[in-house]
Amino acid sequence: MPSLIDPRSELDYAVQQIVQSPSDNEYLNHLIPAIKDASRGGRGQQLLQSLNQYSTDRETEIEKICNTNHQGFVSSVNQLLQLREGTVTLVHEILSLNQSIQSSTERLAEQKRGLVESRGVRQNIDEATQALRDCLEVLRLANQVHDLLGKKSHYSALRALDELQNVHLQEVTQYKIADMIQKSVPATKKLIAEAVMTDLNTWLYRIRETSQFLGEVAFFHTEQRRARQKDRAETDDYLSGFKLNSAIELTSDETDEFDPLDNEEVQVEFTPLFECIHIHDALGESDRFRAEYATTRRQQKDLLMPAFITLIDEQGANLKGLLEGIAGFAIVEKATLERAPALRSAADVDDLWDSMCQTAIALISKALHEVDNPEMLLKIKGAIALFVQTMNSWGYTSAAVDTFLLTLFEKYAELLKRRFSDDFQEIVSTDDYMPMPINKLDEYDKVVNVSWYSPDKARDDLSFPCVLPFSQMYPLCCIDIRNFLNQFYFFSDDHFQHPRVIDETLQASLDELLSEKVCQSLVERLSSQYLGQIVQILINLEHFEVACQELEHLLVAARSTASAGGTIALKATEEFRNNKKTAEKRIFELVNSKIDDLIETAEYDWLAPALETEPSNYMQTLTTYLSNIMGSVLLGLPTEIKELIYFDALSHAATMILGLPLSAEVKRINPNGVAALAKDVRYLTEFVDTLGNPILGQNLEELQQTVALMQADNSEEFYDVSTRNKKYGRVDAMNGPVLLEKYVCKLPFRQQATLYLIPLLLF
């Protein structure tokens, strides 16, 4: 829009102000702004024209004035000319100055514009520099996070990331980089979580790799504790009643501290786990981490358990490695529970422990059929016991393993029974069934020490060689019985929670072995026809009965406190006792059979024409036989048994001899025949009298009285009850008349009829 004031009027006014200035300074003060305004507005020429116009107007005025006053006018003209000359000069100077000022003003404006621009650029540079510094700091911290990740300083990286997010990023929110970095924070946190999990997985892998060695170290420490406890028990009997992991043992072993997780052999550092827990807690992912860790440990547990094992490898390395691996794994779990209770619960740890135990039991049970050696089974039990004792010291329960040990013990008992059954059978079958000869004192001591035998003579009164009453099988069986007992109780060493089962199984097994493999085998050999063997079997049975009685006392003393009190009665004791009667009967049978054979050789001529001067051959042989068996074969028997055998043999012999004249084949007997029988009876009586036992002679009374009846002058006395009871009380009421009938066959018919009727009247 054009200005309402005429620019020429403005210049005229400015010229008037310049010209009318009272002083030079004021003149310049008005002149310079006018020049600047004219120069700025491009009106410099107009200013000159205004000045020229002003000058022309003044000249006109002056000329008018001069016309009235010429002289003054001339003077004024001169002055005016001078003034004009000065003005022209001044105008030139002003123009020059104006030009100079204009040039300076332009330069100054240019410089000022450059200065303003420079100040703006500088401010922008400063702002950009500060922004760059802030962004560089953010980038530095972002790079530092990754550097710390590279250095495995996961927690430091997380703290740096937190500082970056909550502090430094807030200062550069106006920049794009802040948004970029803010968007990368979750990914960086994920990187940290993955990195720490990678380190944890590496740690877990190393833990899994060192689990077996850790278990081996723990087992070695338990064995050392066993040795120390054994030494303490040998020093103090009171301590022998306390087992490993008991309060007394733990207290006694306090001075020997040992940490399986931190020792010269192995060091388990839990820093990666703690760092992982801390980082996931800081990330707010504790629950997820806990679940992932539990899953990982279950997977590692599954990887730890093999598909199968063998129990017959050299030194049991397969089973040992399995148990050591389980122990190391469980120890790490228990240590984790103690150090980080928020990560692992007792239920989680116990579940893993139960799972590993069940799997191990299944693997061992599956491979158990390979084992046919009780010593190998004892080693297996020892390895399991060491495993249980080690884990009990870490607070783990062993109920499942203890129950499995029962199965192991049943297998062990069966193998032992099978082995000793074969041994007993071999001993019984290869015995010579002769009294055992001893040539030296040390042999005698060995036999007495292993056998339950109480010698009749003192040790110092013995002379060698000598003979013991039992055969060689008895001390051999005693040795096997002692070994059987010891090996049975070997199973209870170290750790076995069912001692009562051992006591009961041992008693039942002993009964079975002694009854079926020893006693029954001996009874089966009673069918032998060799009297000496039967006698030796009887003697052995006698000693086995004593051994069983001693075993009953030994089992009472050796049984555990958990077993019921009272006495122990082995069924085998009664078996041996009863079968002694069987052996005695068999001896009676053989002796009586021999007697029968000898008496069957008797050749009496009941109608002999002349008297016999010597006893019959069979009678001499019979007495010789009875004398020989008493002095040799039956010598080792107890006195009461020998007398019983003799008593039965003589009774049987008397009955058989009496049966000779009673035979249906003998029709008649004359006095010579009776005399021959009487001579043999006297011979037998004299032999019995030499034995020095009056009771044995009672067996011959019937035979003696019967012969006396046949030789009596008045045989009718037999039919008189009072007389018969006095003289012939032992004569059978039926046999007497029969013999008298044969002997008196020449009597009249009336007397013969009387003899037939008398027995009927007697009954």
Side-chain angles (χ1 to χ4, degrees):
M1 181 177 179
S3 177
L4 297 177
I5 302 175
D6 187 2
R8 183 172 294 278
S9 297
E10 292 178 1
L11 291 176
D12 292 342
Y13 175 77
V15 170
Q16 290 178 5
Q17 292 292 328
I18 292 169
V19 175
Q20 294 177 1
S21 299
S23 65
D24 293 337
N25 288 332
E26 189 173 349
Y27 172 78
L28 291 174
N29 288 338
H30 288 293
L31 178 63
I32 291 174
I35 295 174
K36 286 183 177 180
D37 291 338
S39 298
R40 190 177 296 115
R43 293 178 295 172
Q45 193 63 33
Q46 292 179 4
L47 179 60
L48 291 176
Q49 289 177 359
S50 296
L51 289 172
N52 289 330
Q53 183 65 38
Y54 184 78
S55 176
T56 302
D57 290 343
R58 295 288 82 81
E59 285 179 357
T60 301
E61 290 178 2
I62 291 170
E63 187 175 355
K64 285 180 180 181
I65 293 170
C66 286
N67 286 331
T68 60
N69 191 355
H70 183 265
Q71 187 61 40
F73 177 74
V74 172
S75 298
S76 296
V77 169
N78 290 332
Q79 290 178 354
L80 183 60
L81 288 174
Q82 291 176 358
L83 180 61
R84 184 177 181 184
E85 183 178 358
T87 300
V88 171
T89 303
L90 185 60
V91 167
H92 286 293
E93 290 177 0
I94 289 171
L95 291 175
S96 177
L97 180 61
N98 180 41
Q99 186 177 1
S100 175
I101 290 172
Q102 186 174 359
S103 298
S104 297
T105 301
E106 290 176 355
R107 286 196 302 273
L108 184 61
E110 185 66 28
Q111 289 176 358
K112 186 176 181 180
R113 188 167 52 252
L115 179 60
V116 171
E117 292 177 356
S118 176
R119 286 178 178 176
V121 171
R122 183 174 180 181
Q123 183 177 357
N124 291 338
I125 290 174
D126 290 341
E127 291 175 356
T129 301
Q130 185 62 38
L132 186 59
R133 286 174 181 169
D134 293 340
C135 293
L136 287 175
E137 180 64 17
V138 169
L139 287 174
R140 184 188 68 79
L141 289 175
N143 290 331
Q144 185 181 17
V145 171
H146 291 277
D147 291 340
L148 290 172
L149 275 178
K151 295 176 181 177
K152 306 294 185 181
S153 299
H154 305 114
Y155 185 67
S156 299
L158 184 62
R159 290 193 61 180
L161 182 63
D162 184 65
E163 181 182 354
L164 172 64
Q165 183 181 14
N166 296 323
V167 179
H168 297 282
L169 280 182
Q170 302 303 321
E171 298 175 356
V172 292
T173 54
Q174 68 274 27
Y175 304 118
K176 211 172 195 181
I177 191 172
D179 185 54
M180 294 173 61
I181 293 177
Q182 183 65 40
K183 290 180 179 179
S184 70
V185 167
T188 306
K189 287 184 177 180
K190 185 178 180 180
L191 282 177
I192 295 175
E194 291 176 351
V196 77
M197 283 301 296
T198 300
D199 285 355
L200 180 65
N201 289 332
T202 302
W203 179 77
L204 288 173
Y205 174 77
R206 291 174 181 171
I207 287 294
R208 183 168 68 87
E209 291 296 311
T210 58
S211 288
Q212 182 175 347
F213 184 60
L214 176 60
E216 182 180 352
V217 172
F219 285 1
F220 177 73
H221 172 57
T222 303
E223 288 178 342
Q224 287 184 321
R225 287 174 56 204
R226 280 182 180 178
R228 289 195 293 268
Q229 178 65 9
K230 183 178 180 182
D231 293 339
R232 286 191 291 267
E234 291 175 354
T235 305
D236 187 350
D237 292 337
Y238 174 74
L239 295 177
S240 61
F242 298 98
K243 296 183 178 180
L244 212 66
N245 294 319
S246 64
I248 296 296
E249 187 273 333
L250 293 173
T251 303
S252 303
D253 214 49
E254 283 180 346
T255 55
D256 299 290
E257 294 184 358
F258 179 81
D259 186 0
L261 297 168
D262 186 12
N263 52 77
E264 295 180 357
E265 301 294 334
V266 61
Q267 295 84 32
V268 177
E269 178 60 54
F270 285 86
T271 302
L273 177 62
F274 296 151
E275 186 178 26
C276 198
I277 294 172
H278 203 54
I279 286 176
H280 280 85
D281 186 48
L283 293 173
E285 298 181 351
S286 298
D287 293 338
R288 185 179 67 83
F289 171 66
R290 190 180 299 111
E292 288 183 359
Y293 184 83
T295 302
T296 302
R297 290 302 279 170
R298 282 194 296 271
Q299 292 173 347
Q300 286 194 319
K301 180 265 297 182
D302 294 335
L303 292 173
L304 181 68
M305 310 306 290
F308 63 91
I309 63 170
T310 178
L311 299 176
I312 56 175
D313 58 329
E314 186 177 356
Q315 299 179 349
N318 222 280
L319 175 63
K320 184 181 177 184
L322 172 66
L323 297 179
E324 287 174 350
I326 294 174
F329 186 95
I331 288 172
V332 171
E333 281 295 293
K334 187 65 76 170
T336 304
L337 176 63
E338 293 175 355
R339 290 166 169 78
L343 175 64
R344 303 292 284 158
S345 67
D348 292 337
V349 175
D350 290 340
D351 286 345
L352 282 180
W353 165 251
D354 292 339
S355 175
M356 289 189 293
C357 287
Q358 292 297 337
T359 305
I361 289 171
L363 289 171
I364 297 172
S365 300
K366 189 176 180 180
L368 205 55
H369 70 278
E370 302 174 337
V371 181
D372 57 359
N373 186 336
E375 283 76 17
M376 178 67 71
L377 208 58
L378 205 58
K379 290 180 180 179
I380 294 171
K381 184 265 172 182
I384 296 176
L386 180 63
F387 166 72
V388 170
Q389 289 176 332
T390 302
M391 301 320 296
N392 283 346
S393 65
W394 282 86
Y396 284 104
T397 59
S398 57
V401 182
D402 288 340
T403 302
F404 173 69
L405 286 179
L406 278 175
T407 304
L408 210 61
F409 173 70
E410 291 173 2
K411 173 82 172 180
Y412 178 74
E414 185 62 32
L415 290 178
L416 271 185
K417 193 163 61 174
R418 189 186 307 169
R419 167 184 287 181
F420 282 92
S421 174
D422 296 340
D423 288 349
F424 282 134
Q425 265 190 325
E426 183 177 358
I427 291 170
V428 172
S429 62
T430 58
D431 191 50
D432 57 4
Y433 294 97
M434 297 290 290
M436 185 175 181
I438 300 295
N439 297 317
K440 295 184 293 183
L441 182 61
D442 58 344
E443 293 180 9
Y444 174 82
D445 290 337
K446 289 178 182 178
V447 173
V448 172
N449 288 334
V450 300
S451 306
W452 287 281
Y453 171 60
S454 299
D456 296 331
K457 291 184 179 181
R459 182 173 179 273
D460 297 334
D461 297 336
L462 293 173
S463 58
F464 296 94
C466 67
V467 177
L468 297 180
F470 43 76
S471 66
Q472 191 173 3
M473 69 161 289
Y474 177 68
L476 291 177
C477 286
C478 288
I479 292 173
D480 265 10
I481 290 171
R482 292 181 184 274
N483 288 336
F484 186 70
L485 290 174
N486 291 334
Q487 292 189 37
F488 239 84
Y489 283 114
F490 281 162
F491 201 90
S492 63
D493 289 349
D494 300 328
H495 177 83
F496 189 68
Q497 298 297 326
H498 312 279
R500 185 172 181 176
V501 175
I502 290 184
D503 296 334
E504 295 172 353
T505 307
L506 175 58
Q507 181 179 343
S509 299
L510 266 178
D511 256 337
E512 183 178 343
L513 287 174
L514 291 173
S515 298
E516 297 182 4
K517 302 304 176 182
V518 179
C519 185
Q520 192 60 39
S521 296
L522 290 175
V523 171
E524 290 174 358
R525 279 163 177 74
L526 290 177
S527 60
S528 170
Q529 299 297 320
Y530 178 50
L531 181 61
Q533 182 175 351
I534 306 302
V535 170
Q536 191 60 59
I537 289 174
L538 175 59
I539 294 172
N540 289 350
L541 289 171
E542 176 79 21
H543 283 86
F544 275 116
E545 181 187 358
V546 174
C548 286
Q549 293 170 348
E550 294 294 333
L551 274 174
E552 290 172 350
H553 299 304
L554 184 60
L555 290 175
V556 170
R559 69 184 173 189
S560 66
T561 55
S563 298
T567 60
I568 290 178
L570 290 173
K571 296 177 182 178
T573 307
E574 191 65 25
E575 289 281 336
F576 284 113
R577 184 179 297 118
N578 293 336
N579 282 295
K580 281 197 311 180
K581 301 297 182 182
T582 306
E584 291 175 7
K585 290 179 181 179
R586 181 59 180 159
I587 292 175
F588 295 156
E589 290 176 3
L590 288 179
V591 172
N592 292 341
S593 175
K594 182 63 175 177
I595 291 173
D596 291 345
D597 293 341
L598 292 174
I599 292 176
E600 286 176 359
T601 63
E603 297 179 351
Y604 284 108
D605 185 359
W606 299 108
L607 300 174
L611 293 173
E612 291 289 341
T613 58
E614 297 291 335
S616 301
N617 290 332
Y618 90 90
M619 182 58 68
Q620 295 180 27
T621 305
L622 175 63
T623 55
T624 301
Y625 170 73
L626 292 175
S627 177
N628 287 340
I629 63 171
M630 182 63 75
S632 59
V633 178
L634 304 180
L635 185 62
L637 290 175
T639 303
E640 61 274 11
I641 296 180
K642 286 192 294 184
E643 291 179 350
L644 183 62
I645 293 173
Y646 240 67
F647 187 87
D648 183 79
L650 291 173
S651 177
H652 182 72
T655 301
M656 292 298 296
I657 293 173
L658 186 59
L660 293 175
L662 289 171
S663 174
E665 297 177 357
V666 179
K667 304 298 183 181
R668 293 190 180 99
I669 303 175
N670 65 16
N672 292 334
V674 174
L677 179 61
K679 186 180 291 293
D680 288 341
V681 171
R682 282 195 300 274
Y683 185 82
L684 180 60
T685 302
E686 291 172 356
F687 168 74
V688 172
D689 291 340
T690 61
L691 298 178
N693 189 345
I695 298 177
L696 296 177
Q698 296 177 1
N699 291 317
L700 303 179
E701 289 180 354
E702 182 182 4
L703 180 61
Q704 291 169 346
Q705 291 180 10
T706 301
V707 174
L709 173 63
M710 294 176 69
Q711 289 182 323
D713 294 335
N714 186 9
S715 58
E716 292 185 0
E717 294 177 341
F718 181 74
Y719 305 112
D720 184 356
V721 176
S722 61
T723 304
R724 179 165 61 86
N725 289 336
K726 291 180 182 179
K727 298 179 65 175
Y728 310 111
R730 300 295 298 274
V731 178
D732 187 90
M734 293 295 294
N735 293 338
V738 173
L739 292 174
L740 288 177
E741 178 192 358
K742 294 182 179 183
Y743 186 68
V744 294
C745 58
K746 295 182 179 180
L747 292 176
F749 178 78
R750 182 178 56 83
Q751 294 181 0
Q752 294 182 29
T754 302
L755 291 176
Y756 282 112
L757 292 174
I758 286 175
L760 299 177
L761 295 174
L762 291 175
F763 288 96

